[in-house]
Amino acid sequence: MTFLDSIILGIIQGFTEFLPISSSGHLVLGQRLLNLNMPGNQLEVVMHMGTLLSILVVFWNDILSILKSLLNKETQRYVLTIVFATIPAIIV
């Protein structure tokens, strides 16, 4: 895989991660279109870690704000709502 291939796959990951369809599937299609044969899923894991890092950077102030106000009843309810809303995704 060349540096240009990595950049192209990173762009595909960035554009498709927040769509309600599989960004992993797009990475597989991108690898096929670039004629790359990469066994395993190491590239996908690294790409998803990059996405997580970008989310943490963008929302860092919001995350800190929530953590600092955890003693507030409204914030506790907000966090609890997020936890309950996440449970179906965990089960699936």
Side-chain angles (χ1 to χ4, degrees), residues 11-12 19 23 27 41 44-45 50 54 63 67 71 74 83 87:
I11 290 170
I12 290 171
L19 295 175
S23 62
L27 285 176
N41 58 359
E44 291 179 41
V45 170
S54 70
I63 293 168
L67 291 176
L71 296 178
E74 187 176 325
V83 169
I87 290 173

Side-chain angles (χ1 to χ4, degrees), residues 8-92:
I8 292 170
L9 291 175
I11 290 170
I12 290 171
Q13 172 71 11
F15 279 129
T16 61
E17 180 62 35
F18 297 102
L19 295 175
I21 48 180
S22 173
S23 62
S24 297
H26 284 98
L27 285 176
V28 170
L29 290 174
Q31 290 175 25
R32 300 265 176 167
L33 290 173
L34 295 172
N35 203 19
L36 300 175
N37 185 14
M38 300 181 57
N41 58 359
Q42 294 170 345
L43 177 70
E44 291 179 41
V45 170
V46 170
M47 294 281 182
H48 288 300
M49 287 172 52
T51 300
L52 175 61
L53 180 62
S54 70
I55 289 170
L56 290 175
V57 168
V58 169
F59 292 108
W60 184 248
N61 290 332
D62 294 330
I63 293 168
L64 280 181
S65 173
I66 290 170
L67 291 176
K68 287 178 182 177
S69 65
L70 271 177
L71 296 178
N72 184 338
K73 258 318 194 201
E74 187 176 325
T75 303
Q76 290 173 356
R77 189 171 357 153
Y78 179 68
V79 171
L80 194 60
T81 303
I82 291 173
V83 169
F84 282 134
T86 305
I87 290 173
I90 293 171
I91 292 171
V92 170

